[in-house]
Structures are given as C-alpha cells and as structure tokens.
Amino acid sequence: MSGNLTISADIAASGMRAQAERLKVIAQNMANADSISTEPGGEPYRRQVVSFQNYVDQESGAQMVRVDKVVKDNSPFEKKYAPNHPGADDKGYVSLPNVNPLIEMMDMKEAQRAYDANLNMMKTAREMNTSVLDILK
C-alpha cells in the first residue's frame, strides 16, 4: 500500500522538476524581452519554449514526465524604425525580440499552478503514507 503512495509522490516530483525547468526558461525569456542586437541587421533574443515528454519509469512502471527539449520560437520578430540604433538594418529598422511579456506571465502562472498541484499531490501522498504507518504501529 505505501509503495503505491511512494510512486505517487515520485510522479508528482517528476512534474515539479519539469515545471521548475519551464519556469527557468520563462524567466530567461522575460529577462531578455528587451535584448536587441547591436550588430547591424542582427537578430535579437529569440523566445524559447519547453516541450514535455512522458516516459515509463523502469523501476516502478509509473508514467512520469520530463522536459523533452527547449526549442526556439520561430515566430517573426517585430520591427521598429530606429535608424540611429547600432542594430538597425540598411532600411533603418531594428528587430525586436519575439517575447510577449503578457504571454510569458500567463505561461508562468500556468507553470506555477501545475507545480503547486504536484506539490499538493506529494504532500497528500506523504500524509497518507504516514497515516498507514501510524495504523500499523
């Protein structure tokens, strides 16, 4: 019985690790939301996106989750006319990062809620495990 509860906590822990990695990438995106190239016609910071992958843990047989990869978002950059900027192209336009702070904040809230849900699952599994052990005393 307690083995199933331990597996539940392990599943929740894998979800917490995945969401923590997602939060790290979101923080990088937010930190670079204004990073413009200083090279003439150069590319600014490109937003990154996390994708997850489920896998079967060989030891427990449980379905877990992990970060599959972090990929660059290939959506187009916005352009701003700034002919005096060192990163302006030959037409006087500067490419802006494809990071939308509103989207990043919504992604952050979603990751935070998923992390919290996994944390609550882990706490519940631990409490149930403790209850079983108390009964067996």
Side-chain angles (χ1 to χ4, degrees):
M1 174 83 163
S2 71
N4 290 338
L5 296 174
T6 303
I7 292 170
S8 298
D10 292 342
I11 294 168
S14 77
M16 290 171 62
R17 281 190 296 276
Q19 293 301 334
E21 180 69 22
R22 182 179 178 200
L23 283 169
K24 183 182 93 174
V25 171
I26 292 167
Q28 289 173 345
N29 289 341
M30 289 294 287
N32 288 290
D34 295 321
S35 296
I36 299 173
S37 176
T38 56
E39 307 262 334
E43 278 199 358
Y45 176 80
R46 188 171 286 278
R47 177 178 187 251
Q48 297 181 10
V49 182
V50 173
S51 66
F52 298 118
Q53 175 187 39
N54 66 324
Y55 69 98
V56 176
D57 180 57
Q58 297 300 320
E59 191 174 314
S60 65
Q63 291 273 339
M64 305 282 194
V65 66
R66 64 179 164 217
V67 171
D68 181 30
K69 55 189 163 189
V70 178
V71 295
K72 293 187 184 259
D73 179 356
N74 289 323
S75 62
F77 298 119
E78 284 189 39
K79 300 237 182 214
K80 175 178 140 185
Y81 186 69
N84 295 330
H85 191 279
D89 61 15
D90 55 348
K91 295 178 184 172
Y93 287 92
V94 175
S95 293
L96 303 175
N98 60 348
V99 177
N100 182 337
L102 182 61
I103 291 173
E104 298 303 320
M105 292 298 288
M106 295 306 294
D107 283 351
M108 180 195 66
K109 285 305 244 182
E110 183 182 339
Q112 179 186 9
R113 286 189 179 119
Y115 186 94
D116 289 343
N118 282 300
L119 181 61
N120 285 333
M121 180 64 224
M122 185 177 269
K123 286 178 184 177
T124 300
R126 186 181 319 146
E127 289 170 4
M128 291 173 69
N129 207 8
T130 302
S131 296
V132 167
L133 294 174
D134 287 345
I135 291 171
L136 296 175
K137 285 184 182 178

